Amino acid sequence: MGSYLSRSTKAFESNRFSKTDSEGNIFTRALTRQTMSILLIFGKDDKQGLAFLQAAKQAKYKCSVAKSMDSLASYLAEQAPNVIIADARETEKVENLCKIFDLISNKEDFVLVAVRDSVKAESSLVDPNMLPLIKVGFTRQFMQNFDPGACLAELHFIEHGELQNRFRFQMARSFITAVENSNDSIEITTRRNNIVYVNSAFEQLFGCQRKDAIGKTFLTMNTSIQEIDKSVIDSMKAQMRQGISWKGIYSTFTKDGKTVTHRCNAIPILGPTGRIENFVVIRKDIGAKPNVNVIRRISLSGGKTRGNLTIEAPMTKVIQAIAEIQETCSPSVAESLNKVLEMLGTTELYIPTIKFDDVNNEMTNELLQGLMKRRTMKRYLQHSSHTVDDEDVLAYEKYLASISLLGANKMSPKVQDLLEQEDRWDFNIIELEKLTDQKPLQYLAVKICVKYKVMEVLKIDLLTLFQWFRMIELHYSVSNPYHSSTHAGDVMQASSYFLNLDCIKNILSPDEKVAVLLAAAVHDVDHPGKTNSYLINSNSPLALLYNDLSVLESHHVSFAFRLTHQDSRINIFKNLTKEDYKNFRQQIIDLVLATEMSKHMEHMSRFMHTIIDQPNEHASSQLPTGSDVSESNTVIKRMLIKCSDISNSARPRHLAIVWAERIAEEYFRQTDDEKAQGLPVVMPHFDRQLCKIPKTQLSFMGLFINDMFEVWHTFCKIPELIGNIRSNYEYWKAQDQKLQRDSPKSSSVSL
């Protein structure tokens, strides 16, 4: 009994609202302030009441006992319980309960549970006593069970189910009241832009009634309401369809033809699956454009007039010129000019503002640089090698217990058993892909992050981290044979394996390790399944945006940060200081850009020159010193993620074969599209009618894999990987020879 209570309490404790709070979810933040309070209505020494009391104490819930109906009213007034569990095993008690709760007006604030006699319930298909209880507000029944474990389970179900929903409903009422009384215009629409709610400020701003707006889009609810800045609106819609919030200024006509300029904040609301369900649009009326005469009077501040002659300062003419430009420019430019006018209107025009980013003083610059390097060295000196301690184990147990409540599918024992092998080089990511319905990243990533204390480094909770990985995984295309979330998980697992090697774990700081893992997770997010050359040759929007330079890599890292910042519920950087966030951002950008294959030789050459040609620095496990810390660690991290990114050939053969087939299929599709569109065929050998996979693997390994991993092996000793590479190379060589012997005209090979 005791052991069950202990295990159950530990499992659910990690899911209490205060443990999985997300700052982006204001309802959840409200829930964290609630502590479940229970009132038991049982007679003295009643076994059922004692069982619930024991369970409540074990789970650390607040619990009181009303031993008579007469004392019930005072308990309700003084204790304000959330849950009331009452003895309803006898008809007389049922009648008394009905009389009392029939007089209570705020029954929706409680979860009312009736304890019924299991024997009597089984003897009758219809329990005549339940209907009166339901009518007075009882929503749950508990069949008599003196086992405290069963009582504890019931309390947990109430807390995480019905009670949570009631709290949310209470908070929703408060928020509706706040929104209704807001001075800003607020509208809520469906994902198809049909309005489902507008507040009073919306009615006043646009001169229409709520009933005229509901069910219509903003553009069609009245023919006289139309955008002046249609291009701005189109841009806003395009950005929001991608799940990214939009802020800006645009103008509309009201029902009576008046022009209104808004400062608008349009926010997409994501559902539990990551799909956009609603849009919230908040408009603040910023009125007409600035009154030039008012600004002129302010700028004169004491100017004199003589007759019809106005003595104007030169600043007045500047302000007037700016105001005249505002009359003809776009709203976005007008808003920027508004800020200029605000600055010109201050009396502190010539009081300097010191910005450390703009420091040019040599001595100051040296001091800043010296202090930052000293701080960096301090982190290295304090950092010790990673070991799995009791806190790691407890954190992962909480993760396992929380995973179903976080919105994911329940983790099966097979998945749990497989994840226990994530620190092995022969970890089977393909099997995890099958067991998780093509969602391996979110499960594997959080498991790895618990080991490297990512939550502590980023100062976030488990829910925020899980939702972030879930969002990232949703934006890996499942239709890509190779560049999917499975590949991202594979690269992250390889990075984790390398980070735990003796040659690396004592060199990189905790922040650097976290940056490597995050970069590995996002390094191919939103990949279109095509190469950079294809995007450039087809004049794709991405190639045009990034000027044909590192197109995909720039897009992956930019897209990842945009996703992260669109909603604070998934913003894993929200609790960092500006300096720490800048540091993480720079590292992640650098690491993702390092995965571009066109710079492969450059990165490997720099690694050999900086690290391998300086054997005493790392071979003896000595930390780099002085200005070499940042440069050498950057080179090591780049090499690490590069090896992780193309490590398929270093995996056990059964995995290497799967990855070879997948990358070939993706290249086959690109070649098919290039031929269909009349584009240059970038990789002619990847014609599905002619290609021989063994030959492509031999070429790739000879060009990229063999030398790079030999260099990596010189640095960190990876004999298992080197053995796999040599074995796989011989395998592909034998398969290629077999193809040439058996069928010179064969177009493929059965692997």
Side-chain angles (χ1 to χ4, degrees), residues 48 162 220 246 264 340 358 376 461 477 509 568 581 619:
Q48 186 64 73
E162 190 168 348
T220 61
W246 183 89
C264 179
V340 173
D358 298 328
T376 303
D461 54 28
S477 176
S509 70
S568 64
Y581 168 70

Side-chain angles (χ1 to χ4, degrees), residues 620-733:
S620 59
S621 299
Q622 295 294 318
L623 296 177
T625 59
S627 61
D628 293 334
V629 172
S630 178
E631 179 185 359
S632 61
N633 283 11
T634 296
V635 172
I636 291 171
K637 288 183 294 181
R638 289 172 181 169
M639 190 69 169
L640 186 153
I641 199 168
K642 283 189 59 61
C643 289
S644 300
D645 190 27
I646 57 174
S647 63
N648 303 148
S649 299
R651 296 287 189 179
R653 182 174 303 166
H654 64 285
L655 297 175
I657 291 174
V658 173
W659 288 118
E661 292 175 331
R662 291 188 177 191
I663 192 63
E665 175 57 32
E666 195 162 295
Y667 288 162
F668 290 161
R669 294 181 184 183
Q670 175 171 314
T671 300
D672 293 343
D673 288 350
E674 287 168 335
K675 291 181 177 180
Q677 298 178 41
L679 298 173
V681 178
V682 178
M683 297 178 290
H685 287 94
F686 283 94
D687 184 321
R688 68 174 67 250
Q689 304 301 323
L690 304 173
C691 180
K692 295 180 175 61
I693 292 179
K695 188 175 291 296
T696 65
Q697 284 297 302
L698 290 173
S699 298
F700 184 81
M701 293 179 72
L703 183 60
F704 296 108
I705 300 297
N706 296 343
D707 290 342
M708 185 175 73
F709 275 85
E710 288 290 347
V711 171
W712 190 234
H713 177 57
T714 302
F715 172 64
C716 58
K717 305 305 177 189
I718 46 173
E720 181 182 2
L721 282 67
I722 297 299
N724 288 342
I725 290 172
R726 293 172 181 172
S727 174
N728 290 335
Y729 188 87
E730 291 302 317
Y731 169 78
W732 292 120
K733 186 176 180 180

Side-chain angles (χ1 to χ4, degrees), residues 464-496:
T464 302
L465 184 66
F466 180 84
Q467 288 181 328
W468 183 78
F469 277 116
R470 194 176 186 190
M471 178 61 68
I472 293 297
E473 185 158 47
L474 284 171
H475 287 84
Y476 273 95
S477 176
V478 294
S479 63
N480 287 346
Y482 184 86
H483 288 101
S484 63
S485 67
T486 305
H487 169 64
D490 187 59
V491 175
M492 189 175 182
Q493 189 271 338
S495 298
S496 172

